[in-house]
């Protein structure tokens, strides 16, 4: 029977310092493991993201001891979500609504990743995690059986370095280098899309809600992120990107200007940051583990950004992974470690299965605008259904509520 290296039993290396990596490292440290988190960036650093934390994400921030710091940093408090279809129909759902579901907090939060990620890493550091910034992973170390036994890279001084470990966690995002090294990354069959993200000041008409504006050539999310700033996240198909020359700034302003109801609101707005791009979104890991390694967050399973809860999924993914990873890192045999990681893969798929189904359905509706337009007209007239829809998108309401026959029948019903 293959034995795990006893000298490194209980040692874990987490690759990636975003919400998924910080959460995983925090919970593993709470399980008493020796955890090192590496990231090639130096924090604080900006990151293209919608920057929205659902009401249920506040439970995880509280558990990590970071909720007060996020609020003190000036995070915007959000009471719900407004949605506009391509045909111009608008509906609004509130997190605190007539349905019986309640999240940890009645409001969501939004804070730039420049500030949020640094706060989360400090929470992990306070739990005992060693943080290695400016540490670039160049490859995975393996034993004679092919099992991952650590990472190779260059440290902050540029010197070659090895970090041996009983378990390596890939929390390095959508284009995960760990997933590619493990042979687990694959392209999905959905159409490729890209996101372009920037902060603006002075966007007219912003309130205490986030916004989603659908169109035939993409969609844009507007999210207050505190101190008068608005996160503008534009998601467009690859075909649209190919039609605009001049970089992300020109692409974003061209798209906004082509939609009059948005152009009017940006007439006197000031862009505060450069436009950062991320994508394509057509990728997903075949499974979330390999011998000696596991994936978490976007590296494991990228959820469609139209659902707007990627940070919650990242934080929850780390919490979910930790007990399985702790068992794997402490296992006395390779088969026992593999059994723990396989159990995590099953739990991860079960945890996000319903939300993935809902995301696919919403993505299908967005791709066929007449479907979304009809749904928007129904939700504009049925406040209880709008609250459920927004509640599911914001992790307040279980996804199964949107898959119930009564809701689906109501959604395809006639509208006046």
């Amino acid at each position: 029977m293959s034995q795990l290296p006893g000298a490194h039993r209980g040692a874990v290396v987490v690759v990636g310092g975003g919400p998924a990596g910080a959460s995983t490292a925090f919970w593993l440290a709470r399980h008493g493991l020796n955890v090192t988190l590496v990231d090639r960036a130096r924090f604080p650093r900006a990151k293209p993201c919608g920057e929205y934390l659902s009401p249920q994400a506040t439970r995880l921030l509280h558990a990590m001891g970071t909720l007060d710091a996020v609020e003190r940093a000036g995070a915007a408090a959000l009471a719900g979500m407004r949605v506009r279809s391509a045909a111009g129909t608008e509906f609004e759902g509130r997190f605190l609504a007539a349905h019986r579901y309640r999240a940890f907090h009645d409001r969501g939060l939004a804070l730039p990743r420049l500030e949020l990620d640094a706060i989360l890493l400090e929470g992990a550091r306070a739990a005992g995690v060693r943080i290695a910034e400016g540490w670039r992973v160049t490859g995975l170390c393996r034993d004679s059986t092919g099992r991952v036994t650590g990472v190779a890279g260059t440290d902050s001084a540029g010197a070659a370095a090895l970090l041996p470990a009983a378990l390596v966690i890939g929390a390095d995002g959508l284009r995960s280098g760990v997933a590619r090294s493990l042979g687990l990354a694959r392209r999905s069959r959905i159409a490729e899309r890209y996101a372009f993200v920037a902060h603006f000041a002075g966007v007219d008409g912003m309130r205490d809600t986030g916004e989603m504006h659908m169109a035939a050539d993409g969609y844009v999310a507007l999210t207050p992120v505190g101190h008068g700033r608005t996160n503008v996240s534009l998601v467009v198909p690859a075909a649209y990107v190919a039609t605009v020359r001049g970089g992300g700034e020109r692409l974003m302003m061209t798209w906004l200007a082509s939609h009059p109801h948005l152009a009017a609101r940006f007439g006197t707005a000031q862009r505060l940051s450069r436009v950062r791009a991320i994508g394509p979104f057509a990728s997903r890991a075949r499974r979330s583990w390999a011998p000696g390694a596991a994936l978490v967050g976007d590296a494991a399973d990228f959820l469609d950004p139209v659902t707007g809860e990627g940070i919650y999924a990242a934080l929850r993914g780390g919490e979910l992974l930790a007990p399985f990873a702790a068992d794997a890192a402490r296992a006395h045999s390779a088969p026992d470690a593999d059994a723990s990681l396989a159990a995590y893969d099953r739990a991860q798929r079960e945890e996000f299965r319903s939300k993935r189904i809902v995301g696919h359905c919403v993505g299908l509706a967005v791709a066929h605008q007449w479907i979304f337009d009809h749904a928007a007209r129904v939700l504009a007239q049925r406040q209880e259904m709008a609250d459920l829809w927004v509640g599911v998108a914001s992790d307040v309401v279980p996804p199964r509520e949107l898959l119930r026959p009564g809701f689906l029948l109501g959604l395809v019903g006639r509208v006046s």
Side-chain angles (χ1 to χ4, degrees):
M1 179 178 293
S2 175
Q3 298 293 312
L4 296 183
H8 307 302
R9 188 173 297 128
V12 180
V13 173
V14 177
V15 180
S23 174
T24 302
F26 171 88
W27 290 109
L28 286 172
R30 282 291 184 90
H31 279 271
L33 274 72
N34 175 16
V35 185
T36 300
L37 183 150
V38 301
D39 196 296
R40 64 183 178 181
R42 296 179 185 272
F43 293 80
R45 60 97 174 90
K47 185 80 171 178
C49 173
E51 299 178 331
Y52 160 70
L53 295 110
S54 67
Q56 194 62 8
T58 60
R59 175 187 70 81
L60 293 156
L61 295 179
H62 175 75
M64 294 176 66
T66 57
L67 179 57
D68 288 345
V70 168
E71 292 176 332
R72 286 196 305 270
L78 306 178
M81 181 69 66
R82 284 191 287 162
V83 182
R84 186 184 192 274
S85 75
T89 302
E90 294 190 16
F91 66 90
E92 180 177 309
R94 310 290 282 190
F95 303 143
L96 185 60
H99 54 66
R100 65 184 184 277
Y101 297 102
R102 293 292 180 271
F104 184 81
H105 273 196
D106 292 332
R107 288 178 176 259
L109 297 173
L111 186 70
R113 291 284 296 274
L114 183 74
E115 300 154 76
L116 175 66
D117 288 9
I119 291 171
L120 294 175
L121 282 180
E122 285 306 307
R125 196 192 310 272
V129 176
R130 176 192 171 206
I131 310 293
E133 300 177 42
W135 211 101
R136 183 182 295 271
V137 173
T138 58
L140 301 178
C141 305
R142 290 181 167 89
D143 64 15
S144 60
T145 70
R147 185 176 202 86
V148 175
T149 58
V151 298
T154 55
D155 64 19
S156 58
L162 295 176
L163 288 176
L167 184 66
V168 172
I169 306 292
D172 48 341
L174 179 64
R175 313 298 292 173
S176 170
V178 175
R180 291 197 301 272
S181 295
L182 295 172
L184 297 179
R186 66 176 176 85
R187 303 291 291 275
S188 75
R189 290 173 291 181
I190 64 173
E192 288 188 346
R193 288 172 295 155
Y194 292 81
F196 297 84
V197 184
H199 290 148
F200 285 75
V203 178
D204 189 43
M206 296 304 298
R207 304 194 324 235
D208 65 343
T209 61
E211 302 180 20
M212 292 288 291
H213 297 260
M214 306 298 182
D217 54 356
Y219 60 88
V220 67
L222 309 180
T223 307
V225 291
H227 300 293
R229 299 165 295 182
T230 298
N231 175 296
V232 179
S233 297
L234 171 65
V235 178
V236 293
Y240 181 86
V241 176
T243 67
V244 180
R245 298 288 185 267
E249 287 82 3
R250 180 174 175 81
L251 186 146
M252 174 176 281
M253 300 314 297
T254 298
W255 195 94
L256 292 171
S258 70
H259 297 82
H261 72 288
L262 289 168
R265 295 177 61 183
F266 281 82
T268 60
Q270 177 187 5
R271 183 164 52 83
L272 302 176
S273 68
R274 70 179 180 89
V275 176
R276 293 179 169 85
I278 186 172
F281 294 145
S283 64
R284 180 184 172 193
R286 291 190 292 110
R287 66 173 188 269
S288 58
W289 75 281
L295 302 174
V296 68
D298 287 347
D301 187 8
F302 182 78
L303 296 175
D304 195 306
V306 76
T307 61
E309 50 73 75
I311 297 179
Y312 167 76
L315 295 173
R316 172 60 183 139
E319 181 188 42
L320 180 69
L321 167 59
F324 299 101
D327 287 346
R330 291 188 173 117
H332 289 273
S333 70
D336 287 345
D338 291 348
S340 294
L341 296 178
Y344 158 66
D345 184 66
R346 293 190 295 271
Q348 189 265 352
R349 291 177 183 275
E350 181 62 28
E351 175 77 12
F352 297 110
R353 177 179 288 114
S354 294
K355 194 61 177 284
R356 193 181 304 113
I357 292 172
V358 169
H360 285 327
C361 291
V362 174
L364 177 65
V366 170
H368 300 81
Q369 283 297 322
W370 66 270
I371 300 176
F372 195 90
D373 290 339
H374 175 85
R377 290 195 297 271
V378 172
L379 297 176
Q381 297 179 16
R382 299 281 301 275
Q383 187 60 51
E384 73 283 3
M385 293 181 66
D387 289 335
L388 281 174
W389 193 91
V390 168
V392 167
S394 302
D395 309 305
V396 175
V397 176
R400 65 175 180 272
E401 291 294 340
L402 297 195
L403 303 177
R404 293 187 186 279
F407 186 92
L408 295 174
L409 288 174
L411 202 59
V412 300
R414 293 182 179 180
V415 292
S416 58

